[in-house]
Amino acid sequence: MKSQGSVPHRFQEVRPVSSRLPRHVRIAIVGAGFAGLGMAIRLRQEGIDDFIILERADEVGGVWRDNVYPGCACDVQSLLYSFSFAPNPGWSRAYAPAWEIQAYLLDCVRRFHLEPFLRFGHAVLSAKWDVTARRWVLETPHGVLTADVFVAAVGTLSEPVIPPLPGLERFRGKVMHSARWDVSYALAGRQVGVVGTGASAAQIVPAIQPEVGRLVLFQRTPAWVLPRGDKPNSALRKALYRWVPGARWLLREALRILRDGLALGFQHPWIFRFAQRGVLWHMLKGVKDPSLRDRLTPRYTMGCKRILVSDDYLPALTRPNVQVVTAPIREVREDAVVTGDGAVHPVDTLIFGTGFQATDMPLGHHLQGRDGRTLAQVWAGSPRAFLGTTVSGFPNLFLLEGPHTTLGHTSVLLMMEAQVEHVLGALRYLEARGAAAVEPDPRAQDAFVRDLEARLSRSVWSQGGCRSWYMDASGRNSALWPGSTTAFRHRVEHFEPSDYVTLPRAGVPLTLRP
């Protein structure tokens, strides 16, 4: 069986021109996923070539390199889930499969000649702000380099989480997380247990259901599911995108505006409560078994947890070889999962679609700011940043996809592009001012965070009756932006010097000044 997420051909790999690590660069970008590559492309378009991209893996792509599970695809339309400054008229479907998004990123590397700037296998082991030289010192397995500006483009969905289930270590079968899929492992005829009912599981389950012998879905919380409406792009549509760029732009803008409209429901929960009765009827009309329908009915306001988009997830759960189990997992045995009701579920394969360390950036434990504290110590388990992009006490550090930049309704690339323009504005300001660095004024950062917290307290994520992965260890929603991408762009895209303090170049007495 070949699922939609299967790779239909071998990629032509991207290879860096050099493995040599320079002693110093103007800008160090960490991460070669969408954010890092987007930053690099815009730097090149602005005529800036003094930068490097440090990537711990052996290829670009980030989550689209790592996620190769069956059925893997984007849940935002391809036209919107691509760079506005690097359009692709040749998308095969309305919603691109993962392999095609990865191919797009590889094409971007070649199109914008990024190979000379890439360094694979260069994880950042530590990053420290040198208060004397007023630059970043980055340690990698292949040496040390310094950089005036540090752009952390490591993403929020890079470190998988597998829950510490009692007895998991003694399980004799195969264990896989959706982001660490073993493509050599054959699922045909297997007795498979899937743990989790998020976006990854909603793609994996219908993709593998026809080939496995039996599938047990261990569901903690049912999801709200909206229809996807995916379909292939016709030759005529592709020709229109290629030869009439205005048509592509208009459709992209229409999709952006339509999806941005959904932000109102997240900000004002009554809107979703009003709509969810009809959504629920449409969602479960194909589920004839009353018991199964009850198990799949959410008891929280739509939008409180991530809304899934799928045409085949719920139908797959009605198949004879699928069982939906809602009792909590009590323990894992050598060849089975035991749930809290005492039921024993024999399995030889366990698949975890249990998400990522979304609110705990691992790099933060190794990133040391102006006062010697790490970012993790400053955040203390609850990330805070100005405009989701900069952090007081960390000069010339720019976070792409930082706190409060995740979305529940549209393409995160729209947020990312606004952040990239903010970084470019800061670079222009530093150049014009002849300064060493900028960092946000703590008063501006505090005001921004307080405003977000007030808005989030009225949102569906706080008022919807659920607890989601958007919440950090302290119970704060430090992941999401409570508004439209249009509002974010207007707030973030322009670099406003009055929101920042400036550090003079080395040799000038250090006095933070607005």
Side-chain angles (χ1 to χ4, degrees), residues 56-378:
R56 65 180 180 178
D58 59 359
E59 186 55 278
V60 304
V63 296
W64 302 107
R65 173 199 61 229
D66 295 340
N67 285 267
V68 295
Y69 60 79
C72 185
C74 189
D75 55 9
V76 174
Q77 291 93 333
S78 312
L79 277 182
L80 207 53
Y81 197 83
S82 50
F83 295 126
S84 65
F85 45 78
N88 174 26
W91 292 115
S92 67
R93 307 184 64 84
Y95 293 82
W99 67 262
E100 193 170 5
I101 298 173
Q102 174 69 351
Y104 167 74
L105 289 173
L106 294 172
D107 177 69
C108 284
V109 171
R110 299 186 188 95
R111 198 190 325 178
F112 294 96
H113 307 291
L114 299 182
E115 295 94 337
F117 306 96
L118 287 164
R119 298 295 184 275
F120 292 152
H122 281 66
V124 173
L125 305 177
S126 70
K128 299 179 181 180
W129 176 255
D130 186 328
V131 295
T132 302
R134 294 170 200 173
R135 57 179 48 168
W136 286 96
V137 180
L138 282 69
E139 180 186 357
T140 81
H142 302 282
V144 175
L145 79 156
T146 59
D148 298 325
V149 174
F150 180 18
V151 178
V154 294
T156 57
L157 305 179
S158 58
E159 295 297 327
V161 170
I162 292 181
L165 300 177
L168 181 59
E169 70 284 351
R170 67 172 184 255
F171 183 64
R172 291 199 300 254
K174 181 71 171 179
V175 177
M176 292 188 288
H177 188 280
S178 60
R180 298 293 183 266
W181 196 268
D182 184 352
V183 296
S184 67
Y185 183 73
L187 287 169
R190 298 285 186 180
Q191 307 295 301
V192 177
V194 176
V195 182
T197 51
S200 298
Q203 295 179 344
I204 292 171
V205 167
I208 68 173
Q209 175 270 319
E211 63 175 319
V212 302
R214 179 170 172 269
L215 191 154
V216 183
L217 178 67
F218 296 98
Q219 173 187 275
R220 185 174 62 177
T221 309
W224 287 94
V225 184
L226 294 180
R228 188 181 188 84
D230 188 24
K231 59 183 179 181
N233 284 328
S234 66
L236 178 61
R237 182 179 287 261
K238 291 179 185 178
L240 185 68
Y241 290 162
R242 184 174 301 277
W243 302 113
V244 188
R248 184 181 62 234
W249 179 85
L250 282 172
L251 183 53
R252 178 185 167 96
E253 280 299 289
L255 289 172
R256 184 186 65 79
I257 293 169
L258 182 64
R259 280 185 166 269
D260 249 0
L262 292 172
L264 290 172
F266 293 99
Q267 297 172 71
H268 307 287
W270 67 266
I271 296 176
F272 278 158
R273 291 191 187 105
F274 178 78
Q276 66 186 30
R277 185 184 296 268
V279 172
L280 188 63
W281 177 86
H282 180 81
M283 187 176 106
L284 296 177
K285 64 181 180 181
V287 181
K288 306 304 181 184
D289 179 356
S291 174
L292 178 59
R293 190 185 307 123
D294 182 67
R295 279 173 280 161
L296 297 178
T297 299
R299 264 73 180 187
Y300 57 89
T301 303
M302 184 170 65
C304 185
K305 286 179 175 286
R306 182 173 177 177
I307 298 173
L308 306 184
V309 288
S310 175
D311 298 323
D312 51 11
Y313 172 60
L314 293 175
L317 300 183
T318 68
R319 302 296 184 246
N321 66 333
V322 177
Q323 179 185 5
V324 177
V325 174
T326 57
I329 295 175
R330 189 172 74 195
E331 66 170 324
V332 180
R333 296 179 180 172
E334 289 83 354
D335 56 359
V337 173
V338 182
T339 47
D341 56 2
V344 178
H345 306 275
V347 293
D348 56 31
T349 305
L350 275 175
I351 296 171
F352 288 89
T354 45
F356 302 84
Q357 297 179 26
T359 58
D360 179 20
M361 186 173 75
L363 182 61
H365 296 273
H366 311 285
L367 203 162
Q368 195 174 94
R370 186 164 43 80
D371 65 359
R373 290 185 298 165
T374 66
L375 188 60
Q377 289 171 332
V378 169

Side-chain angles (χ1 to χ4, degrees), residues 45-59:
Q45 289 177 333
E46 292 292 311
I48 301 172
D49 289 334
D50 189 7
F51 68 90
I52 197 168
I53 308 170
L54 302 174
E55 170 54 55
R56 65 180 180 178
D58 59 359
E59 186 55 278

Side-chain angles (χ1 to χ4, degrees), residues 76 80 252-253 255-264 267 404-419 455 481-493:
V76 174
L80 207 53
R252 178 185 167 96
E253 280 299 289
L255 289 172
R256 184 186 65 79
I257 293 169
L258 182 64
R259 280 185 166 269
D260 249 0
L262 292 172
L264 290 172
Q267 297 172 71
H404 295 300
T405 61
T406 298
L407 296 168
H409 65 286
T410 189
S411 173
V412 73
L413 268 62
L414 300 171
M415 309 284 278
M416 193 185 299
E417 288 192 15
Q419 291 184 284
R455 293 164 62 190
W481 168 253
S484 68
T485 59
T486 301
F488 185 84
R489 187 178 72 245
H490 288 166
R491 183 70 176 88
V492 174
E493 199 170 46

